[in-house]
Amino acid sequence: MEELLELYQTMGISPAVYAYGEKALAGLKERFAAIDQVAEYNQAKVIRAMQKNRVSAACFAASTGYGYDDFGRDNLERVYADVFHTEAALVRPQITCGTHALTIALSANLLPGDELLSPVGLPYDTLQEVIGIRPSPCSLAEYGVSYRQVDLLPDGTFDYENIAKAIGSKTKMVTIQRSKGYATRPTFSVKQIGELISFCKNLKPDLIVMVDNCYGEFVETMEPSDVGADMTVGSLIKNPGGGLAPIGGYIAGTQECVDRCAYRLSAPGLGREVGANLGLMTSLYQGFFLAPTVVAGAEKGAIFAANLYQPLGFRCVPDAQESRHDIIQAVELGSEEGMIAFCKGIQAAAPVDSFATPWPSEMPGYLDRVIMAAGAFVQGSSIELSADGPIRPPYAVYFQGGLTWYHAKLGILMSLQKMVDAGLVNL
Ligand SMILES: *Cc1c(COP(=O)(O)O)cnc(C)c1O
């Protein structure tokens, strides 16, 4: 379309970059149609849960102070529990981020002398301090919870032999991270997670399995809670917040586990009874309602990025053809300069803070310098179009989000433009 090309040109996208993008896009029709089907299913799943729980204007009322008898808050938790097919859920603005939600789930259900096992290798960077893999005040290690890890096999599959050896009398909980995080290993499908859970529970039926579901919600029609996870945990400024939730986290799972999480979040004896919603209910409900289509747009952006960068010689995880189980796309750019150029493009395409220049810097919870590009309505929200990554080999940027497919597309085209401008790519 002539008009669009002209508009993009005024925004800095060259005809060559645009044409290269359109060529890649032409081959993606079937995959996009499959994503739309999953989104349609998940949209119906969310609406049905909202109808079943008779969501009404009364649910959106603000509460303050202790937040006793907060109907809207309690009903939102029933909606989440129905979508995740769990007995209970804790969905709160008092859960400050994904790391916090995971910390609550771990520390509420592990006691001194218990052991935590990760059968999928090193957990996400911020979890390392929570567990005490990197010493930190108030880590689980300080409270006498030990940790074991079994790495993935070189081909990215589960090392069942060593997992069996690692499950012992002290093993109380197994933690499975669905998404790759800042690693270039594959993300696991819900089916794979289910197989791993069955394997572990066959060896020790009373194990508690927690799945870090960050970035995975609504990418498939099933969630880890459908395949045996006792707790499924995530952040509301990622997928399930739909871009509207300004803060929050969730834990969906068994009544027993979730009750303990509520006591850990507030206080023993108080549990889920306290926690005012501070007027955030409309955004939490509406964000959850929008989440399936937002996730679909983000996923299209991820696939588009892989199909743009892989033919240019950059390794992409997942690769351009692979099936997807989260919304993250890793692109190995091979150098710090590449990471900076890519992130500059994402930033320049943002509706907010487009004039800012992303630059590598130290971040709490992370060992390496990190570069982050985001021009988001909700600060730090990574369901909005964002790219980030630690400055370390293989110099991969982790690209995710986009509240709309069209914004994701523009951002990726702009990233490629900056790579071209920096002389790092020849089209
Ligand atoms: C984002 C993320 C987390 C939690 O991060 P927060 O920034 O604290 O929300 C945990 N695990 C994975 C795999 C993640 O992607």
Side-chain angles (χ1 to χ4, degrees), residues 53-380:
N53 290 289
R54 303 175 63 84
V55 172
S56 67
C59 296
F60 308 144
S63 68
T64 54
Y66 294 108
Y68 290 138
D69 302 317
D70 185 331
F71 173 73
R73 175 197 69 200
D74 295 346
N75 206 36
L76 179 67
E77 292 179 336
R78 286 188 285 271
V79 169
Y80 263 70
D82 281 336
V83 165
F84 284 90
H85 304 123
T86 54
E87 292 168 4
L90 192 63
V91 186
R92 301 283 166 129
Q94 284 80 14
I95 302 178
T96 55
C97 61
T99 305
H100 188 197
L102 291 156
T103 303
I104 292 163
L106 291 167
S107 54
N109 290 283
L110 287 162
L111 294 173
D114 290 340
E115 189 159 89
L116 171 69
L117 170 69
S118 170
V120 296
L122 197 61
Y124 187 73
D125 297 52
T126 58
L127 266 293
Q128 295 170 19
E129 278 176 286
V130 172
I131 295 167
I133 301 169
R134 281 186 282 134
S136 179
C138 299
S139 68
L140 290 171
E142 264 199 358
Y143 287 94
V145 174
S146 57
Y147 170 73
R148 272 178 91 150
Q149 178 178 315
V150 177
D151 288 335
L152 296 170
L153 293 169
D155 66 354
T157 58
F158 306 128
D159 183 354
Y160 283 117
E161 196 183 321
N162 282 308
I163 294 170
K165 283 187 199 150
I167 296 177
S169 57
K170 285 173 68 182
T171 318
K172 172 79 176 292
M173 198 193 294
V174 168
T175 177
I176 300 172
Q177 183 180 311
R178 175 174 177 180
S179 171
K180 66 179 82 58
Y182 285 147
T184 40
R185 55 107 160 144
T187 289
F188 307 123
S189 66
V190 172
K191 183 164 169 281
Q192 281 175 303
I193 290 171
E195 285 159 11
L196 180 56
I197 294 175
S198 306
F199 179 82
C200 295
K201 289 199 173 183
N202 276 339
L203 291 171
K204 194 169 183 188
D206 60 349
L207 277 176
I208 297 172
V209 178
M210 180 189 85
V211 174
D212 174 351
N213 204 28
C214 281
Y215 292 125
E217 297 89 355
F218 297 129
V219 173
E220 299 184 36
T221 54
M222 282 198 310
E223 299 293 340
S225 45
D226 292 312
V227 293
D230 300 285
M231 288 185 284
T232 300
V233 184
S235 162
L236 298 197
I237 62 167
K238 293 178 180 172
N239 303 15
L244 293 187
I247 190 170
Y250 79 91
I251 301 164
T254 64
Q255 192 74 52
E256 196 181 344
C257 286
V258 172
D259 282 349
R260 290 192 66 93
C261 291
Y263 291 125
R264 183 80 291 155
L265 171 64
S266 61
L270 301 184
R272 59 193 329 137
E273 303 296 324
V274 294
N277 75 53
L278 305 172
L280 298 178
M281 279 299 126
T282 311
S283 5
L284 268 55
Y285 276 99
Q286 197 175 0
F288 199 47
F289 167 75
L290 289 177
T293 48
V294 169
V295 168
E299 217 187 325
K300 288 175 185 173
I303 291 175
F304 181 57
N307 281 273
L308 233 55
Y309 277 92
Q310 187 171 294
L312 295 170
F314 299 98
R315 181 169 176 247
C316 292
V317 182
D319 72 28
Q321 278 81 43
E322 236 170 292
S323 70
R324 307 247 148 188
H325 311 291
D326 67 9
I327 60 166
I328 302 193
Q329 180 62 50
V331 184
E332 295 184 7
L333 295 162
S335 69
E336 182 166 341
E337 296 69 49
M339 292 178 77
I340 293 171
F342 186 102
C343 288
K344 273 186 178 168
I346 298 299
Q347 191 73 40
V352 180
D353 292 334
S354 61
F355 47 83
T357 305
W359 208 250
S361 70
E362 314 287 332
M363 287 269 298
Y366 296 86
L367 196 54
D368 300 283
R369 282 180 307 141
V370 175
I371 185 163
M372 295 199 163
F377 295 98
V378 172
Q379 290 165 38

